[in-house]
Amino acid sequence: MNVTDTKPKSRRQLVEEARRAALEGNWAEAIELNQGLIERFPRDADGYNRLGRALIESRRYSSALDAYTGALKIDPANMIARRNLQRLD
């Protein structure tokens, strides 16, 4: 009997997948992966930053604003989120 182990991917594996999607310019996949990461790890400011970048690349500026604001709520000193919010203004 061969039972396949289907344990959920680690945070590190999910982050690498999200980064790979972004590097390949697959913004829809990057959005989906980062949203999934944020659902599992809601205090992940970097996940919000990656989501914001993917949303900007998809021209979804209002959603990107929300993502960067989310990052700042978690980490008020987050310079990436702060800088990108200024660019969106």
Side-chain angles (χ1 to χ4, degrees):
M1 188 166 132
N2 188 5
V3 177
T4 305
D5 186 13
T6 58
K7 70 178 186 178
K9 293 180 181 178
S10 72
R11 180 179 179 281
R12 195 176 89 235
Q13 287 172 308
L14 293 169
V15 167
E16 285 307 312
E17 287 182 16
R19 286 183 179 150
R20 177 195 40 77
L23 287 171
E24 293 172 356
N26 188 344
W27 300 114
E29 183 181 0
I31 290 167
E32 187 177 315
L33 288 166
N34 284 301
Q35 286 173 332
L37 259 163
I38 291 166
E39 283 177 21
R40 280 185 59 192
F41 307 99
R43 302 283 307 155
D44 184 0
D46 291 335
Y48 280 96
N49 282 335
R50 285 190 307 273
L51 176 59
R53 169 70 193 274
L55 290 164
I56 284 175
E57 294 295 335
S58 300
R59 301 188 192 293
R60 293 171 55 188
Y61 302 114
S62 177
S63 295
L65 188 81
D66 292 342
Y68 288 123
T69 300
L72 281 181
K73 285 180 184 172
I74 296 164
D75 177 11
N78 190 304
M79 291 310 294
I80 294 169
R82 195 173 299 282
R83 188 170 46 246
N84 283 302
L85 280 173
Q86 288 173 344
R87 287 181 184 153
L88 284 167
D89 271 350

